[in-house]
């Protein structure tokens, strides 16, 4: 439910950002990793990759 | 795991690649046929090929033929040498070589003295040379099966195999004319073997891989997120493995033998001991399949034949201590990862010792009913635990064999593999009928970024809906039905009579619940139909910035916004 007094620009209100994260190593194995490596090396985003 | 290719690899077009699982006790080879992995049998018909190399009259033997020679030709037979690759002599444990050729320190390299020629002085063979000769035979068996010369392979290694050991393995393979495309961690190969099955669904899950081998046991906790795997914790143990189970049976049969033949201990004579060990292992394997097994050796000691039957229940009783060791190993590594058994979605049993039904049923009792235990005795869809690593390696080999070796090196570079992982889950808050806030996770904790996930959330009443995106953490809530004396939260299910009791006795109830963390963003979707659904898509970028898109399912437009990187 939306409180009556709620309002924000374009109906979106950013409040925080991600608080906790760690650097870890993913295993360079499997089809999904190879897709990830391809994106990382060509600096593509998900949607750009989808279009190709 | 980046490995340097010392020599230029084979051109991708000329490659014929296989997967190899190279173990201390057994090795396997596998190829892919029409994208599905097939484990290859050698010329003896064995799919699990003992990692043994033996010489008689200048003739080379490997696999089961070499293993049989441990009885009458132990000095010229090398066993359990794989873990010695790239090691210092001081750091190795030669226990398992006691009944075969002994490792020696020769100018800093671990070597064996073996009579590998018909005549002349025995040769000093480095562990690297032994491995090369053994790998050559493995590759030959694969080439014979495929009908084409095998040029390349993906080989599995333990997670604690150091850089020096990896390099030594690559060099030994190159000396056998085998190009190593990539070295893959053993538990990851097992997960891949399961995930690559056509019926497998891509899910975010936490997987425990228990690789129970002959001379060592390795357990790993892995976060599987969108098909990307991250190792969260590993444990290695050399006390609880198949060899200890063999020992239990050897002692049992030796004592029974001595009851009938006083003063003759088959463990005191090397040849008798070798026979006892070989037959004990065979009996152990038979007890994994049947509930009764026969132990029989001709001329076990002092020319006396010996025969005895043992049933599975008896074996499980005498081997209980070892079995409990496996439980502790698994529980320990979950704790090391900072997790609880309730966090584990899947347990994959891998390695030869995993065929033991009792080990799987013991693990079944530690984990909640929702955890899948993938072993032959607990799951009808389980794969053969002995074949997992070779299958995983073969799949990886087929995926990368068309790549240039430079491409493989660059893709496995730490710059690509070391990425941020979010520690908390990200999800949406919904309010239930009784006014309680419910957290629906969208992106699971320990997910590698960049990541993108979408969920559909029900909006029962319709109207204007507030989508609240928050972080969430899990914790374990313990509710005790009635105060009753219990040592601790974990269930020990192995006391003789507890099998019955645990069903009747009221146990404390442990459940995983979400704790709501900080709010990330709010968005409003207006005029949602009654009973409609709202789609929320979250994309976390490399830099941990967040893009949130939300709209009514079937509706137009929607709200889109982004959050800055922390």
């Amino acid at each position: 439910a939306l409180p009556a007094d709620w309002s924000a620009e374009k109906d979106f209100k950013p409040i925080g950002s991600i608080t906790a994260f760690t650097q870890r190593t993913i295993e360079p194995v499997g089809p999904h990793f190879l897709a990830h490596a391809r994106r990382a090396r060509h600096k593509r985003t998900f949607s750009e990759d989808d279009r190709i | 795991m980046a490995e340097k290719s010392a020599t230029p690899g084979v051109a991708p077009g000329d490659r014929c690649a296989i997967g190899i699982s190279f173990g201390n006790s057994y090795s396997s080879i596998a190829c892919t046929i029409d994208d599905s992995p097939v484990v290859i049998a050698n010329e003896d018909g064995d799919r699990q090929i003992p990692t043994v190399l033996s010489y008689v009259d200048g003739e080379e033997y490997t696999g089961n033929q070499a293993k049989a020679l441990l009885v009458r030709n132990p000095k010229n037979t090398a066993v359990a040498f794989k873990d010695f690759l790239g090691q210092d002599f001081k750091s190795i444990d030669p226990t398992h070589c006691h009944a075969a050729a002994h490792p020696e320190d020769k100018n800093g390299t671990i070597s064996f003295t073996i009579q590998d020629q018909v005549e002349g002085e025995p040769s000093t063979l480095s562990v690297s040379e032994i491995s090369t000769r053994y790998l050559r035979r493995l590759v030959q068996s694969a080439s014979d099966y495929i009908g084409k010369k095998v040029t390349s392979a993906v080989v599995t290694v333990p997670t604690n195999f150091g850089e020096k050991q990896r390099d030594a393995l690559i060099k030994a393979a190159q000396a056998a004319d085998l190009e190593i495309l990539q070295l893959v961690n053993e538990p990851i190969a097992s997960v891949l073997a399961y995930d690559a099955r056509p019926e497998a669904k891509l899910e975010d899950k936490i997987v425990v891989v228990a690789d129970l081998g002959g001379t060592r046991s390795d357990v790993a906790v892995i976060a599987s997120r969108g098909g990307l795997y991250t190792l969260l914790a590993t444990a290695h143990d050399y006390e609880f493995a198949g060899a200890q189970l063999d020992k239990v049976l050897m002692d049992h049969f030796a004592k029974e033998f001595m009851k009938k033949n006083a003063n003759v201990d088959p463990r005191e004579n090397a040849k008798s001991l070798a026979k006892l060990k070989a037959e004990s292992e065979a009996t152990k394997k038979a007890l994994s399949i049947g509930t009764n097994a026969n132990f029989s050796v001709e001329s076990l000691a002092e020319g006396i034949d010996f025969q005895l039957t043992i049933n599975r229940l008896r074996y499980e009783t005498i081997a209980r201590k070892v079995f409990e060791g496996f439980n502790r190993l698994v529980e320990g590594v979950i704790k090391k990862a900072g997790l609880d058994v309730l966090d584990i979605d899947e347990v994959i049993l891998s390695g030869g010792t995993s065929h033991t039904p009792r080990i799987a049923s013991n693990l079944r009792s530690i984990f909640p009913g929702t955890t899948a235990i993938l072993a032959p005795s607990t799951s009808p869809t389980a794969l053969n635990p002995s074949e997992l690593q070779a299958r995983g390696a073969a799949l990886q080999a087929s995926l990368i064999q068309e790549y240039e070796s430079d491409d493989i090196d660059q893709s496995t570079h730490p710059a690509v593999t070391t990425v941020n992982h979010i520690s908390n889950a990200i999800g949406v808050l919904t309010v239930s009928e009784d006014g309680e806030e419910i957290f629906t996770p969208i992106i699971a904790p320990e997910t590698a970024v960049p990541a993108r996930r979408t969920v559909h959330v029900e909006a029962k009443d319709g109207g204007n809906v507030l989508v609240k995106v928050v972080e969430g953490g899990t914790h374990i809530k313990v509710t005790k039905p009635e105060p009753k004396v219990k040592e601790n939260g974990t269930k020990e299910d192995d006391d003789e009579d507890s099998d019955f009791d645990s069903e009747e006795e009221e146990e404390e109830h442990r459940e995983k619940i979400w704790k709501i963390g900080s709010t990330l963003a709010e968005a409003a979707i207006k005029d949602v139909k009654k009973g409609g659904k709202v789609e929320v898509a979250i994309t976390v970028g490399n830099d941990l910035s967040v893009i949130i898109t939300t709209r009514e399912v079937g509706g137009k437009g929607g709200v889109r916004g982004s959050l800055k990187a922390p």
Side-chain angles (χ1 to χ4, degrees), chain A:
Chain A
L2 182 70
D5 56 351
W6 195 91
S7 73
E9 196 185 329
K10 286 181 182 164
D11 286 342
F12 184 82
K13 192 196 275 178
I15 294 170
S17 50
I18 288 172
T19 54
F21 54 91
T22 48
Q23 286 254 316
R24 289 186 190 272
T25 304
I26 43 177
E27 297 289 317
V29 173
H32 300 280
F33 170 79
L34 294 173
H36 161 83
R38 193 178 63 231
R39 285 191 297 267
R41 290 174 61 200
H42 298 293
K43 306 222 181 310
R44 280 194 214 125
T45 63
F46 282 110
S47 38
E48 282 163 6
D49 203 56
D50 285 346
R51 260 178 262 138
I52 294 166

Side-chain angles (χ1 to χ4, degrees), chain B residues 220-300:
Chain B
V221 182
I222 298 157
S224 168
R225 304 287 186 236
L228 294 179
Y229 309 116
T230 306
L231 274 171
L232 300 180
T234 55
H236 311 279
D237 188 279
Y238 303 87
E239 298 287 318
F240 297 99
Q244 278 71 32
L245 293 172
D246 296 342
K247 179 84 175 24
V248 163
L249 284 172
M250 285 164 71
D251 287 341
H252 172 74
F253 292 129
K255 277 178 199 148
E256 293 294 322
F257 182 80
M258 287 164 75
K259 274 184 201 165
K260 292 186 180 117
N261 308 279
N263 301 325
V264 187
D265 188 343
R267 290 167 294 185
E268 277 167 10
N269 172 295
K271 202 166 183 173
S272 303
L273 184 69
K275 286 181 177 177
L276 184 65
K277 184 167 168 46
E279 187 63 14
S280 293
E281 194 191 337
T283 308
K284 178 185 74 175
K285 287 181 182 170
L287 285 169
S288 290
I289 302 160
T291 49
N292 269 299
N294 226 2
F295 173 93
S296 101
V297 179
E298 253 176 59
S299 175
L300 177 56

Side-chain angles (χ1 to χ4, degrees), chain B residues 144-394:
Chain B
D144 290 346
Y145 175 87
I146 299 169
K148 225 165 97 181
K149 189 181 166 1
V150 169
T151 60
S152 317
V154 168
V155 184
T156 60
V157 290
T159 54
N160 65 343
F161 223 49
E163 221 32 65
K164 266 174 87 181
Q165 290 164 283
R166 287 167 196 258
D167 286 345
L169 174 55
I170 292 171
K171 287 216 180 78
Q174 276 167 352
D177 263 340
L178 181 70
E179 177 201 31
I180 302 271
L181 294 176
Q182 192 186 354
L183 297 179
V184 167
N185 283 329
E186 286 168 353
I188 306 297
S190 300
V191 180
L192 186 63
Y194 270 105
D195 280 357
R197 294 178 306 164
E199 66 267 34
K201 275 184 290 179
L202 185 62
E203 280 170 345
D204 288 346
K205 59 194 173 187
I206 300 280
V207 185
V208 169
V209 180
D211 175 12
L212 312 177
T215 62
R216 56 184 288 169
S217 290
D218 303 273
V219 187
V221 182
I222 298 157
S224 168
R225 304 287 186 236
L228 294 179
Y229 309 116
T230 306
L231 274 171
L232 300 180
T234 55
H236 311 279
D237 188 279
Y238 303 87
E239 298 287 318
F240 297 99
Q244 278 71 32
L245 293 172
D246 296 342
K247 179 84 175 24
V248 163
L249 284 172
M250 285 164 71
D251 287 341
H252 172 74
F253 292 129
K255 277 178 199 148
E256 293 294 322
F257 182 80
M258 287 164 75
K259 274 184 201 165
K260 292 186 180 117
N261 308 279
N263 301 325
V264 187
D265 188 343
R267 290 167 294 185
E268 277 167 10
N269 172 295
K271 202 166 183 173
S272 303
L273 184 69
K275 286 181 177 177
L276 184 65
K277 184 167 168 46
E279 187 63 14
S280 293
E281 194 191 337
T283 308
K284 178 185 74 175
K285 287 181 182 170
L287 285 169
S288 290
I289 302 160
T291 49
N292 269 299
N294 226 2
F295 173 93
S296 101
V297 179
E298 253 176 59
S299 175
L300 177 56
E302 294 188 8
I304 308 163
D305 296 351
F306 186 61
Q307 196 178 355
L308 196 72
T309 319
I310 182 168
N311 66 30
R312 192 188 278 172
L313 205 62
R314 182 72 197 269
Y315 165 58
E316 288 173 350
T317 310
I318 59 175
R320 203 179 112 187
K321 279 217 170 77
V322 184
F323 291 155
E324 284 172 354
F326 294 128
N327 281 7
R328 284 196 299 276
L329 197 59
V330 170
E331 287 174 314
V333 69
I334 293 170
K335 200 175 253 175
K336 199 166 154 190
L339 298 173
D340 187 273
V341 287
L342 292 174
D343 293 312
I344 309 301
D345 301 296
E346 224 170 77
V347 179
I348 293 178
L349 279 163
S350 140
T353 303
S354 293
H355 288 277
T356 311
R358 185 74 204 188
I359 295 174
S361 64
N362 283 351
L363 290 178
R364 177 73 280 167
S365 67
I366 310 182
F367 287 95
T370 48
T371 307
I373 309 281
L374 298 172
S377 62
T378 47
S379 163
T381 58
L383 299 170
N384 182 341
S386 298
E387 295 188 347
L388 292 175
Q389 294 175 8
R391 280 170 176 250

Side-chain angles (χ1 to χ4, degrees), chain B residues 24-245:
Chain B
N24 269 319
S25 314
Y26 289 87
S27 299
S28 296
I29 40 183
C31 61
T32 48
I33 295 174
D34 299 331
D35 292 332
S36 70
V38 175
V39 177
I40 300 167
N42 70 357
E43 54 282 5
D44 300 331
D46 298 316
R47 287 188 170 76
Q48 280 71 55
I49 305 161
T51 308
V52 185
L53 185 72
S54 184
Y55 288 90
V56 177
D57 298 332
E59 196 77 43
E60 185 182 81
Y61 298 90
T62 54
N64 266 323
Q65 292 188 27
K67 195 170 184 173
L69 291 166
L70 276 170
V71 174
R72 58 181 179 89
N73 185 34
K75 293 227 160 354
N76 299 314
T77 304
V79 300
F81 48 83
K82 175 253 191 161
D83 267 1
F84 299 164
L85 274 168
Q87 291 276 35
D88 291 329
F89 187 77
K90 273 173 284 178
S91 59
I92 64 164
D93 172 16
T95 312
H96 297 287
C97 300
H98 195 67
H102 292 192
E104 300 153 43
D105 190 1
K106 283 272 153 66
N107 310 319
T109 48
I110 301 167
S111 303
F112 296 88
T113 303
I114 285 174
Q115 181 72 48
D116 65 338
Q117 310 288 330
V118 183
E119 280 168 17
E121 285 291 296
S123 312
T124 301
L125 304 171
S126 68
V127 63
S128 171
E129 173 65 19
I130 297 273
S131 303
T132 299
R133 292 184 182 187
Y134 179 75
L135 286 170
R136 198 177 279 140
R137 292 286 298 265
L138 276 188
V139 170
Q140 187 56 47
S141 301
S143 297
D144 290 346
Y145 175 87
I146 299 169
K148 225 165 97 181
K149 189 181 166 1
V150 169
T151 60
S152 317
V154 168
V155 184
T156 60
V157 290
T159 54
N160 65 343
F161 223 49
E163 221 32 65
K164 266 174 87 181
Q165 290 164 283
R166 287 167 196 258
D167 286 345
L169 174 55
I170 292 171
K171 287 216 180 78
Q174 276 167 352
D177 263 340
L178 181 70
E179 177 201 31
I180 302 271
L181 294 176
Q182 192 186 354
L183 297 179
V184 167
N185 283 329
E186 286 168 353
I188 306 297
S190 300
V191 180
L192 186 63
Y194 270 105
D195 280 357
R197 294 178 306 164
E199 66 267 34
K201 275 184 290 179
L202 185 62
E203 280 170 345
D204 288 346
K205 59 194 173 187
I206 300 280
V207 185
V208 169
V209 180
D211 175 12
L212 312 177
T215 62
R216 56 184 288 169
S217 290
D218 303 273
V219 187
V221 182
I222 298 157
S224 168
R225 304 287 186 236
L228 294 179
Y229 309 116
T230 306
L231 274 171
L232 300 180
T234 55
H236 311 279
D237 188 279
Y238 303 87
E239 298 287 318
F240 297 99
Q244 278 71 32
L245 293 172

